[in-house]
Amino acid sequence: MTYESAPIGALDSTKVPRFAGPGTFARIPDLSQVSDYDIAILGVPFDGGTSYRPGARFGPMAVRQAARNLRAGFHVELDVAPLKQLQVVDAGDVPCSPYGISDAVGEIEDHTRELLGGSNRRIVAIGGDHTIALPMLRAVAREHGPVALVHFDAHLDTWDTYFNAPVTHGTIFRRAFEEGLLVEDHSIHLGIRGPIYDQIDMEQDRSFGFRTIRANDLDVIGIDGAVDAVKQRVGDVPVYVSVDIDVLDPAFAPGTGTPEAGGFSSRELLRLLRQLSGLNLVGADVVEVSPAYDHAEVTSVAAATVAFDLVTMMVTGGRTAREHAPETDSAVR
Ligand code: MN
Ligand code: MN
């Protein structure tokens, strides 16, 4: 990395209160303030692939707003000051067309590839509907080769087409499988629930090399059982974590496009993620926050915390973790 000294952290909230100042994620620096970076938060404001409630194009804006209140100085559960270990930046939003799915998907992939820049940089994308995971996976697989997908969602998202459209928020992971973006037999869904079109949907999903921990399974095997299953499934393959916020129960995430009763609590999701912090996380997204259906930032606060946890997981588990370890007193509060 080429930054001169210690990473630049978040704005000091003892000097500028959290509700003031720049609107970057957790008030971390933007691209123009750094000479290089390890991890970028990237807004992807596209919701043209959604099938029910629209509005996730406003997700990045809402998640950044909710992230103002994150105390990004120290992650207690993961025992690390992530912003002191690696340079984390807010890379703004991908400029993408609201009119054509294939145009937008191409623009998202190109922009993501440019930001990854052939280095070991990593991106946490904030959607946007789940469609954006496909161009993200394409860009990440180009850097790292095929990945293991750890997918949190109420829905499988491995259907074939909707209204003849091959790339939508419910079909991306079948496309990813077909394109060879996933390491065969290393991917897993968590939190799946609700009725489906046909039983064959689950059989097909299994034939694409996915395994599933349904929301109900968590009651039986517990969080530790789920964590063991994910670790066993993934092995030592590079991992992409995709979090559809509808994995949470509508009580914890009302502001989303296709809500389903009986989901995880925020605490369950966060514990699952934190227990997985040893994985080699090479890319991640949190998607499907639709702020117009939200109340009191319930959903966007959950999504902002998930995004910060994903960043922290990259710091603790990734290959570059602790490489710089410049213990300075540039404290952030
Ligand atoms: Mn979903
Ligand atoms: Mn989804």
Side-chain angles (χ1 to χ4, degrees):
M1 291 291 126
T2 59
Y3 41 82
E4 287 79 26
S5 53
I8 304 171
L11 194 66
D12 186 343
S13 60
T14 63
K15 299 195 173 92
V16 182
R18 296 176 194 288
F19 45 82
T24 56
F25 182 89
R27 309 198 311 160
I28 58 177
D30 68 34
L31 272 181
S32 68
Q33 295 173 275
V34 298
S35 56
D36 205 344
Y37 55 94
D38 302 288
I39 299 170
I41 295 275
L42 177 65
V44 192
F46 175 76
D47 64 6
T50 203
S51 58
Y52 196 57
R53 294 170 173 174
R57 67 180 61 179
F58 297 106
M61 214 186 286
V63 173
R64 283 194 182 96
Q65 174 64 20
R68 279 176 173 275
N69 195 36
L70 286 176
R71 286 157 192 82
F74 193 75
H75 194 300
V76 178
E77 283 76 16
L78 293 178
D79 192 30
V80 66
L83 305 185
K84 287 189 192 174
Q85 302 291 323
L86 296 177
Q87 183 64 64
V88 187
V89 293
D90 189 327
D93 292 338
V94 179
C96 59
S97 168
Y99 293 114
I101 295 178
S102 57
D103 283 353
V105 163
E107 287 156 354
I108 296 163
E109 184 185 347
D110 291 348
H111 194 87
T112 304
R113 277 173 54 188
E114 206 171 299
L115 285 172
L116 289 173
S119 66
N120 199 32
R121 293 176 188 149
R122 285 164 290 175
I123 291 178
V124 176
I126 299 174
D129 76 46
H130 220 152
T131 309
I132 68 126
L134 183 61
M136 282 292 298
L137 278 167
R138 285 173 177 163
V140 168
R142 219 180 155 89
E143 297 285 336
H144 296 276
V147 295
L149 176 69
V150 177
H151 171 215
F152 294 87
D153 203 321
H155 313 95
L156 296 168
D157 293 353
T158 52
W159 284 280
D160 191 10
T161 60
Y162 282 136
F163 296 87
N164 299 318
V167 176
T168 74
H169 77 155
T171 61
I172 56 249
F173 297 132
R174 187 186 293 217
R175 299 290 92 80
F177 164 74
E178 291 166 349
E179 293 177 23
L181 306 178
L182 309 177
V183 182
E184 217 153 306
D185 293 324
H186 281 70
S187 295
I188 189 162
H189 309 288
L190 297 100
I192 306 298
R193 60 193 189 274
I196 53 176
Y197 299 102
D198 195 297
Q199 207 170 356
I200 199 169
D201 297 348
M202 287 193 297
E203 291 159 19
Q204 286 187 343
D205 181 80
R206 209 172 164 82
S207 77
F208 304 146
F210 287 97
R211 290 296 175 269
T212 297
I213 296 173
R214 293 181 63 82
N216 280 344
D217 295 338
L218 205 64
D219 297 329
V220 181
I221 64 174
I223 290 174
D224 291 346
V227 166
D228 288 346
V230 172
K231 284 182 177 166
Q232 202 175 5
R233 185 77 182 148
V234 163
D236 52 8
V237 167
V239 177
Y240 185 97
V241 172
S242 188
V243 180
D244 183 330
I245 205 67
D246 74 24
V247 73
L248 297 180
D249 191 87
F252 297 90
T256 193
T258 43
E260 302 280 352
F264 293 174
S265 69
S266 307
R267 193 174 67 233
E268 287 167 338
L269 175 60
L270 293 172
R271 182 167 171 83
L272 274 162
L273 288 171
R274 290 163 185 175
Q275 296 290 97
L276 292 170
S277 66
L279 300 181
N280 177 19
L281 188 55
V282 294
D285 62 58
V286 51
V287 297
E288 297 282 352
V289 173
S290 184
Y293 295 94
D294 206 5
H295 311 281
E297 299 186 301
V298 172
T299 314
S300 49
V301 165
T305 310
V306 167
F308 182 59
D309 273 33
L310 291 167
V311 166
T312 310
M313 286 167 72
M314 286 177 172
V315 173
T316 56
R319 282 192 299 276
T320 59
R322 295 178 192 277
E323 256 177 19
H324 313 289
E327 279 301 322
T328 69
D329 56 0
S330 63
V332 289
R333 294 182 194 89

